[in-house]
Amino acid sequence: MTGRIIENAEDVEEGAAHLAALCPRLRHAYGLTGPLPLRRNPDGFAELLSAIVSQQVSVASANAIWSRMEQAGFTEPQRIAAVTDDDLRAVGLSRQKARYARALAEAGIDYAALRYAPTPEVIATLTQVPGIGVWTAEIYAMFSLGRADVFAPGDLALQEAVRLLYDLPERPKERALRQMAEDWAPWRAVAARLLWAYYRVAKDREGIR
């Protein structure tokens, strides 16, 4: 069972209304942020490869590398499998990321089947690939597959947003935040959207320490 799928802005609004009715602090955050973004991305190999490219580099650097990869045609698994590591490094990938790209190309993931797989199976399948951690898999499930009840408690911005919104003495650890997010089911992915939006508002207002 995939659970509810977020297809459009109305789905996001439904989830936000549920969360606002559930928790006064989330209602306060929603009042500050206004309508939340849909944030639906394509699914498939290229989306995960792009996530690998983006790891631990600036947005500008990631965009530049990805542009070179697109120009070279390095966005399909068959193409990645056919080129050398030197070819991949020539477009800007580090040695480690070239290895990750090749591992993803050789993983043989059935991306169409993932659309209908239970979320735990999606996470388990993706995290078997070197270079794809739980956070990347959760983000993929959230935005590429549209799963409404996925959260990413390892995300530092979510942790900081929760610290600010709930007036906590420190950022909650991943395990604690995962447990806290259970209260936001079945709209945990909308809660994440709300908290990310609130983080931006709070950062502008108060600064992030």
Side-chain angles (χ1 to χ4, degrees):
M1 295 290 290
T2 63
R4 181 72 178 266
I5 301 296
I6 294 175
E7 300 282 3
N8 51 49
E10 288 73 21
D11 294 332
V12 177
E13 290 175 11
E14 180 184 344
H18 172 89
L19 294 166
L22 178 72
C23 173
R25 293 190 187 240
L26 292 177
R27 182 166 63 250
H28 169 72
Y30 191 38
L32 294 175
T33 66
L36 303 174
L38 175 59
R39 290 188 69 174
R40 278 302 306 267
N41 298 330
D43 68 332
F45 174 82
E47 191 69 19
L48 283 171
L49 182 60
S50 176
I52 289 173
V53 169
S54 299
Q55 291 171 359
Q56 298 179 322
V57 297
S58 69
V59 173
S61 294
N63 288 342
I65 295 168
W66 186 249
S67 178
R68 290 195 293 270
M69 291 185 68
E70 287 183 318
Q71 292 170 9
F74 295 170
T75 59
E76 297 292 336
Q78 299 88 346
R79 180 72 171 138
I80 294 292
V83 301
T84 68
D85 284 357
D86 286 341
D87 293 327
L88 295 175
R89 297 195 69 191
V91 296
L93 291 187
S94 66
R95 189 182 306 277
Q96 184 180 57
K97 287 186 180 180
R99 180 169 65 85
Y100 290 163
R102 197 175 301 284
L104 180 63
E106 295 171 353
I109 295 172
D110 185 340
Y111 293 99
L114 286 187
R115 297 171 189 168
Y116 308 101
T119 297
E121 182 179 326
V122 172
I123 304 300
T125 297
L126 297 183
T127 54
Q128 289 177 6
V129 181
I132 298 180
V134 172
W135 181 88
T136 299
E138 288 169 338
I139 294 297
Y140 182 87
M142 198 182 301
F143 296 129
S144 290
L145 300 181
R147 303 297 169 89
D149 201 29
V150 178
F151 200 71
D155 187 275
L156 292 180
L158 291 180
Q159 293 173 7
E160 181 66 8
V162 167
R163 182 190 73 80
L164 291 168
L165 183 60
Y166 288 87
D167 196 24
L168 302 178
E170 60 183 12
R171 293 176 185 169
K173 303 296 185 185
E174 181 174 351
R175 180 178 297 181
L177 185 52
R178 188 178 297 278
Q179 184 174 3
M180 185 177 182
E182 290 178 2
D183 291 341
W184 304 329
W187 291 104
R188 280 177 276 195
V190 177
R193 287 169 171 83
L194 176 54
L195 289 166
W196 274 314
Y198 174 74
Y199 172 85
R200 288 190 291 273
V201 171
K203 185 176 181 180
D204 288 342
R205 284 188 165 195
E206 306 170 27
I208 298 298
R209 70 176 184 218

